[in-house]
Amino acid sequence: MFKKVPGTKDILPDETGRWQTIEAIARNIFSLYNFHEIRTPIIEEASLFKRILGVTTEIVQKQMFFIHSQEDAYVLRPEGTVSIARSYLENNLDKTSGFIKLYYIGPMFRLERPQKGRLRQFHHIGCEVIGSQEAILDVEIISLAEQMFKSFAIADYKIKINSLGCPKDKQALSLSLKQSLQKDNQKLCADCQVRLENNIFRVLDCKNEACQEIVKALALKDRHLCPDCLNHFKEVQNGLGSLNIIFEVEPQLVRGLDYYNRTVFEFTHSNLGSQDAIGAGGRYNNLIKELGGPDIGGIGFAFGVERLLLASSICGEKPLNKLVYLITLGETAKNAGVKILNQLRSSGIPSDMDYLSRSLKAAMRAANDAGARYVLILGEDELKKNVVSLKDMSNSTQREISIQELTKELKC
Ligand code: HAM
């Protein structure tokens, strides 16, 4: 028997209700904040991500799914931000109002070692706001993310924030980290010894205990920030405070993608083990310019839906709780039944029927399993009288009703 690709997941009918609920809540909250949906392709040019995420990042070095028939020219998108920046410029969205609030929901792909909460195909609910560098926007984005958390019935989450500063500040931080960490080179894990040379920021969020001790001893603060960036970061913190959003400033928080500058943030949850980040985001003030566009800021975040679902106590809606289930007895009734079903569905009444010509008892069981609110029984006798027997499953009462009246009755 064929099996699914490791690190992918079949989302089965008994789970899709929770997915739909989470997605519906997200769409609703995005529209409260005046965001509009964008859908970009799942395949993109590999060079787009190589250039923008950074050739030394883990995603580009190890995690991209190449499509080989195109000589490695295309990849399955590993994240959404870069695709949206590409689309923003390609479709001249910068030439209309310039400022735009976009959201997206869809699958992302990373060639990872699968484990709980870490998949090769996972899903993002994310947003990007392009066109402003204002600190109040950072506050809006974090408060929007928090509102979603609350609506997803997720408790015990933490909001961690930091500022990487402008590119000059980042450069200064990178140099000072290199100098400080060089002396402990031998005590760092093998991965971090390599990172010291080509991806120094990743040393800061290494999970290895020895590395964490060394990083802690650096007592990082906001010393690398220039006055403008420090001011921006203070404004963000004050804005969050004024909305009573509880957060922690975590100087080690750097995020693994090159495009970030200034504010970065992460939402973590205590029950998720080592993959505790449910969502993350930050500013990318140079990204649009680097892609050949104007010098305008951007900020966004993405939640991992699979991790959201692990942390959320939300239940799936039962969309079929008004289901009408038709049981026909005999061939003539079956043909007449198809017409009744058609009539119900055209009137917006969810309905289904027993397609297996089961006995009445077995078909009633199937109706019950399907969660039907009403069962219609149509046999030769009913047909002669032009009626159906209507059983209300909520109180087990049964009565006859004329076929003409049926739709009107069930719509009430
Ligand atoms: P990211 O931190 O790479 O950021 O991913 C965001 C979230 O996606 C993570 O916090 C996690 O919940 C989920 N996630 C990531 N990788 C996996 C995986 N292999 N399996 C399951 N879930 C995963 C970004 O992708 C940025 N584009 C976010 C952003 C938007 N920054 C600015 N705008």
Side-chain angles (χ1 to χ4, degrees):
M1 195 194 298
F2 286 111
K3 297 248 163 99
K4 60 185 179 297
V5 172
T8 64
K9 200 174 161 336
D10 297 314
I11 305 163
L12 298 173
D14 64 347
E15 299 166 273
T16 44
R18 290 187 82 215
W19 281 75
Q20 286 167 359
T21 304
I22 291 270
E23 287 166 7
I25 291 172
R27 283 177 198 285
N28 188 32
I29 295 177
F30 280 131
S31 59
L32 282 179
Y33 286 73
N34 196 28
F35 279 72
H36 297 279
E37 187 176 5
I38 183 166
R39 300 183 190 199
T40 59
I42 281 167
I43 48 173
E44 291 277 1
E45 282 194 27
S47 55
L48 173 69
F49 293 102
K50 282 186 186 163
R51 209 174 98 213
I52 302 299
L53 296 183
V55 282
T56 59
T57 57
E58 232 154 275
I59 292 186
V60 169
Q61 285 200 332
K62 305 185 205 153
Q63 297 177 343
M64 294 218 285
F65 272 99
F66 287 92
I67 297 174
H68 285 284
S69 61
Q70 295 294 333
E71 296 171 344
D72 292 355
Y74 300 153
V75 285
L76 297 178
R77 63 180 185 195
E79 60 107 57
T81 313
V82 172
S83 304
I84 285 161
R86 190 248 337 121
S87 172
Y88 174 80
L89 290 174
E90 187 174 346
N91 295 292
N92 294 318
L93 300 183
D94 57 319
K95 310 255 166 22
T96 48
S97 87
F99 181 79
I100 198 159
K101 291 166 128 180
L102 302 166
Y103 81 87
Y104 50 98
I105 298 179
M108 306 291 160
F109 304 84
R110 295 184 195 173
L111 192 54
E112 310 230 37
R113 202 161 34 82
Q115 55 176 271
K116 184 184 166 203
R118 191 199 267 179
L119 295 147
R120 290 178 171 173
Q121 177 178 336
F122 57 98
H123 296 76
H124 270 173
I125 291 178
C127 64
E128 313 294 344
V129 181
I130 301 175
S132 166
Q133 309 210 7
E134 293 279 333
I136 46 165
L137 197 53
D138 306 36
V139 175
E140 171 165 307
I141 287 289
I142 295 171
S143 85
L144 155 63
E146 192 189 45
Q147 187 171 350
M148 277 194 188
F149 260 66
K150 289 184 175 154
S151 308
F152 293 153
I154 296 178
D156 303 326
Y157 57 85
K158 269 197 187 142
I159 305 176
K160 298 174 184 172
I161 67 167
N162 191 23
S163 176
L164 301 172
C166 55
K168 269 194 185 157
D169 296 347
K170 262 178 95 175
Q171 181 78 13
L173 178 62
S174 157
L175 278 177
S176 91
L177 282 174
K178 210 166 232 173
Q179 279 167 2
S180 319
L181 290 170
Q182 202 72 56
K183 58 180 187 313
D184 288 314
N185 189 351
Q186 295 309 311
K187 293 187 206 149
L188 292 169
C189 73
D191 282 346
C192 282
Q193 290 184 17
V194 178
R195 288 174 186 146
L196 205 54
E197 294 312 317
N198 63 18
N199 199 359
I200 187 108
F201 290 131
R202 294 314 294 176
V203 177
L204 301 189
D205 55 15
C206 177
K207 298 267 192 278
N208 179 292
E209 265 180 40
C211 299
Q212 281 183 356
E213 282 300 309
I214 293 167
V215 167
K216 213 162 145 200
L218 296 176
L220 294 169
K221 278 197 76 182
D222 50 19
R223 288 185 293 269
H224 60 289
L225 297 179
C226 66
D228 269 0
C229 290
L230 191 58
N231 199 30
H232 187 271
F233 193 35
K234 290 257 154 71
E235 278 184 54
V236 174
Q237 294 179 58
N238 290 339
L240 292 175
S242 72
L243 296 181
N244 298 321
I245 295 174
I246 298 167
F247 61 92
E248 288 170 15
V249 174
E250 187 159 304
Q252 291 100 295
L253 180 67
V254 282
R255 310 277 299 121
L257 310 168
D258 276 6
Y259 56 61
Y260 288 115
N261 47 38
R262 285 203 165 165
T263 316
V264 286
F265 51 90
E266 203 165 74
F267 291 80
T268 58
H269 194 273
S270 48
N271 286 351
L272 296 186
S274 64
Q275 305 304 313
D276 65 349
I278 300 190
R283 276 212 160 268
Y284 42 84
N285 289 343
N286 288 346
L287 173 55
I288 300 294
K289 195 167 154 216
E290 251 180 73
L291 284 171
D295 189 6
I296 48 175
I299 183 167
F301 70 78
F303 289 141
V305 182
E306 289 76 3
R307 292 187 197 174
L308 273 179
L309 287 165
L310 286 173
S312 161
S313 57
I314 214 152
C315 302
E317 301 248 318
K318 292 245 181 321
L320 294 183
N321 60 359
K322 283 198 161 173
L323 182 73
V324 177
Y325 195 94
L326 173 69
I327 299 171
T328 55
L329 305 170
E331 270 317 293
T332 330
K334 197 186 285 175
N335 293 333
V338 170
K339 283 192 194 151
I340 292 176
L341 268 193
N342 194 36
Q343 180 192 317
L344 293 177
R345 288 166 177 166
S346 305
S347 308
I349 298 168
S351 37
D352 201 357
M353 72 180 279
D354 171 40
Y355 290 101
L356 303 180
S357 302
R358 283 174 271 217
S359 68
L360 182 58
K361 200 170 156 201
M364 283 301 291
R365 243 193 331 261
N368 201 37
D369 290 348
R373 167 71 201 274
Y374 297 104
V375 173
L376 302 177
I377 302 162
L378 184 65
E380 304 293 326
D381 287 349
E382 283 87 357
L383 260 185
K384 271 186 211 140
K385 292 191 269 174
N386 211 19
V387 298
V388 283
S389 296
L390 171 68
K391 179 160 184 171
D392 185 338
M393 300 292 271
S394 65
N395 56 17
S396 293
T397 55
Q398 185 166 328
R399 65 197 158 96
E400 286 189 346
I401 180 164
S402 91
I403 293 176
Q404 279 75 22
E405 293 296 307
L406 187 60
T407 306
K408 204 164 101 207
E409 175 75 19
L410 291 174
K411 274 210 109 163
C412 301

